[in-house]
Structure formats: C-alpha cells, structure tokens
Amino acid sequence: MAASGKLASFRLPPLPTVGELIKLYNLRAEKQLSQNFLLDLRLTDKIVRQAGSLRDAHVCEVGPGPGGLTRSILNAGAADVLVVEKDTRFIPGLKLLSEAAPGRMRIVHGDILTYRMDRGFPANISKPWEEGPPNLHVIGNLPFNVSTPLIIKWLENMANRTGPFAYGRTRLTLTFQKEVAERLTASTGTKQRSRLSVMAQYLCTVRNCFTIPGRAFVPKPEVDVGVVNFTPLVQPQIQQPFKLVEKVVRNIFQFRRKHCHKGVEKLFPEACRMELTQEMMQKADVDPILRPTELTIPHIRALADAYAHLCTNEPSLLSYEYREELRLKHLTGQKHIPIDTFNAT
Ligand code: SAM
C-alpha cells in the first residue's frame, strides 16, 4: 500500500493529451528533423522500463518533441529530467509539462550533437568508473538523421570518459531504425555484423530490447524502430585508443565479403603493404582468410594490438589513409605518394 502511495506522488496532474498538445500548438512533423512522434503512453512507458528503475534519477532526454516519452520518464519517478530539443515550436508545450512537475524538469533549447552534457548535471552524482553506473540515464526516441553520428560520438565519449560518461558508466536507452539496432547488437557470424557491432560491443553491453512497428508513430516512418540499451563495460575489451580501433575496424569492414587481410592491407602504404600486412596478421595470429563478419572481438583486439605495435615502430603509419592516397594519386597523377605527405594532411 505504502509503495503504491509513493508511486502515485510521481504521477503528473491531469494535462491535455500529447495528441491534444500537438493540435493546440499546431505541431506539424518536420521531415528534415526526422520527427515521428509516439502518442501511445503504454509504448513510451515500455521504452522507459528498459532503462531500469528511474526512481530519483537524473535523466537527459534527447529530442522530447511533444513530450510523450518525457511524461513516462516523469511518471517513473525521475527527480531531474533535462530535455534537449532543437525545434523551438515544442518549447511552449514542454514548459506546460515542466509546470506540471515543479522542480523536476529543465528545458534546453539546443542541438544534442553539440550540447555539453558533462556540464548538465551536478558533479556529486558521479560514481567511480569501476563501481556501478551512476543514477543518470540518457533516454531518447532519437531523430533517425542524427542517431548514427550521435552513437558514434557517444561511443568515443565512453572510451574517453567524457560527455555523459564524465559521471561514470552512464546507461543509454535509445531508439534506432530497426536495421541499425540489429547491427549494433549483431554477433559474430551473422549477416548484420558490421563496424557498428564491433565499435559498440568492445565498449559496452548492448541489448536489443524490442521492436516498435512503424505504424505506432505519427507520421508513420518507412521503417520499424528498435529500442537499444547500452551499459559501458568496466574494462573495454580492446585497450587501444578509440581512434586507432575505429581505423582498424573501418578498414577491415570496407570489404565485408572479402577475406579480412584485404581490408588490413589498406592500413599500409603501397610500398610496404604486403610485408606489413603479413607481419600484422602473423603477430595477431588471425587467419587471414576469415571474413570480417567472422571476426570475434578478441580477433579484433589482437589485430588492433598488432597494428598499434607496428605504429610504435613507425609512427607515420598512424596518419596514413588509403582513401586519401587514392585521392592524391588521382589529383596529382603520381604513382607513389610519399608517406610523410599524410602527416601534413
Ligand atoms: N520524443 C518525441 C516522441 O517520442 O514523440 C519526439 C521524437 S522525434 C523522432 C525526434 C525529436 O528530436 C524531434 O522533436 C526533433 O525536433 C528533435 N531533434 C531533431 N534533431 C535534434 C537535435 N540535433 N538535437 C535535439 N533534438 C533534435
């Protein structure tokens, strides 16, 4: 009895429905901002449940729009909800919501790609990385057009313990196009295994929670949507700088269907390509005829470690980029581009 009485105190007072708010403020969905709204509060409650308990939590919500998901976050008992919305048309509706939850909701009119989340919350909510996650969650029904760059940026933040991860192992619960959600969580040997699978899984536990059919959104997008939960690992599975891992993984996956040594070759300038590829594959002890999709995280770790070792012996390798070499050859008509050229670019 006491518990339900406490829960009831989180609940918002009667408000116009999200649908009524959309009509009231004439909030037509803007295609450029990938606006597809969720009006069914049972669905937004289900997304919020994937984050775990939000009681007394600090939450950053990405792209609240008309505020359906925001209501579910508030109803789940979050103490401090910071919403970051780019489209000014939603601000009056969000203000109405924040008045209904006094002292529990802050509104930032801004772009999540540039917003400094490391400054958004009090420092005393931080938890040492080795301990459990802090009581801070990032939740969002993300705009499709920013979801991939945003998760790549946040994975880099995770590796460097910056942005949302300046507070510790902050958990993320986010929506993606179904195929992107499948790639993020794909295991070795599956069709969906990709660069994104490796980059996400070496840094965190990734869980594909459930799929929301496109018809649940207004307007209906062309695709279904996956809800994905990320919890940073105490110890990343690859102990090399993010940019180095990203370079190795990007090169390997550029030829998805070929043997993995084909992509590895492109880490090296033409003049020393064969020799260094052989050295790297041998040092990593990875079978060169495995396909990129067949590589496990330990395989990738061995390859990243072997590449880092070669770069310690020859630091100019780090700035070498195969595609840049092709571009320069095309531009200058030269057959060989000297390796020091890449230090200057
Ligand atoms: N959360 C709402 C819901 O579930 O109904 C709206 C979701 S809609 C898919 C995406 C929202 O993100 C829109 O409100 C849009 O204006 C906002 N948005 C788009 N790009 C953004 C950005 N770079 N930074 C912050 N918000 C953004």
Side-chain angles (χ1 to χ4, degrees), residues 20-34:
E20 282 163 356
L21 269 189
I22 289 177
K23 279 207 193 104
L24 183 68
Y25 294 108
N26 194 17
L27 302 172
R28 202 172 23 84
E30 289 283 349
K31 234 189 164 160
Q32 292 139 284
L33 289 177
S34 304

Side-chain angles (χ1 to χ4, degrees), residues 62-283:
V62 190
L69 196 54
T70 324
R71 291 180 189 214
S72 293
I73 295 169
L74 289 164
N75 280 332
D80 170 38
V81 184
L82 174 87
V83 299
V84 182
E85 174 56 60
K86 190 171 178 181
D87 185 342
T88 141
R89 296 175 308 143
F90 293 112
I91 306 298
L94 291 168
K95 282 196 174 140
L96 198 73
L97 196 52
S98 90
E99 280 159 21
R104 293 173 61 202
M105 182 175 158
R106 297 177 284 144
I107 303 167
V108 171
H109 176 215
D111 187 331
I112 193 64
L113 287 166
T114 50
Y115 177 68
R116 291 283 307 261
M117 212 186 293
D118 54 342
R119 296 180 182 164
F121 296 91
N124 64 5
I125 69 166
S126 305
K127 274 219 180 169
W129 193 264
E130 294 67 27
E131 287 184 13
N135 200 8
L136 167 65
H137 296 258
V138 177
I139 302 180
N141 174 18
L142 291 177
F144 293 152
N145 59 346
V146 292
S147 59
T148 306
L150 193 56
I151 194 61
I152 289 173
K153 176 186 146 110
W154 280 343
L155 289 172
E156 183 162 11
N157 284 163
M158 205 181 280
N160 299 328
R161 304 185 185 181
T162 54
F165 310 99
Y167 303 95
R169 293 189 294 122
T170 303
R171 286 161 291 181
L172 316 174
T173 305
L174 306 167
T175 58
F176 295 89
Q177 294 185 39
K178 185 169 175 261
E179 295 92 278
V180 178
E182 285 171 352
R183 273 190 258 142
L184 281 162
T185 51
S187 38
T188 303
T190 60
K191 197 167 86 234
Q192 291 86 355
R193 184 76 163 177
S194 65
R195 177 169 78 106
L196 214 45
S197 332
V198 176
M199 294 310 289
Q201 293 169 32
Y202 96 84
L203 286 163
C204 37
T205 307
V206 199
R207 189 166 57 89
N208 194 347
C209 308
F210 69 101
T211 302
I212 310 178
R215 64 172 185 278
F217 294 83
V218 180
K220 175 180 173 300
E222 311 256 299
V223 289
D224 293 340
V225 170
V227 179
V228 184
N229 181 271
F230 304 80
T231 307
L233 293 167
V234 172
Q235 188 81 267
Q237 294 200 65
I238 304 176
Q239 306 274 322
Q240 295 293 345
F242 181 88
K243 290 251 185 291
L244 183 144
V245 181
E246 195 278 327
K247 184 179 180 187
V248 170
V249 174
R250 173 167 39 85
N251 275 275
I252 290 175
F253 275 94
Q254 72 181 309
F255 306 113
R256 284 177 59 78
R257 289 169 204 278
K258 302 239 165 93
H259 295 151
C260 67
H261 72 89
K262 275 279 166 216
V264 168
E265 283 172 16
K266 304 301 184 282
L267 287 165
F268 305 111
E270 210 172 350
C272 51
R273 187 163 287 157
M274 289 308 140
E275 182 197 327
L276 291 185
T277 302
Q278 205 179 11
E279 197 177 331
M280 178 164 152
M281 298 305 301
Q282 270 171 5
K283 196 163 178 42

Side-chain angles (χ1 to χ4, degrees), residues 323-335 337 341 345:
R323 296 208 175 270
E324 184 59 14
E325 184 179 48
L326 284 187
R327 195 183 69 83
L328 290 175
K329 275 185 183 170
H330 182 75
L331 217 68
T332 61
Q334 280 176 278
K335 272 201 155 166
I337 306 290
T341 317
T345 54

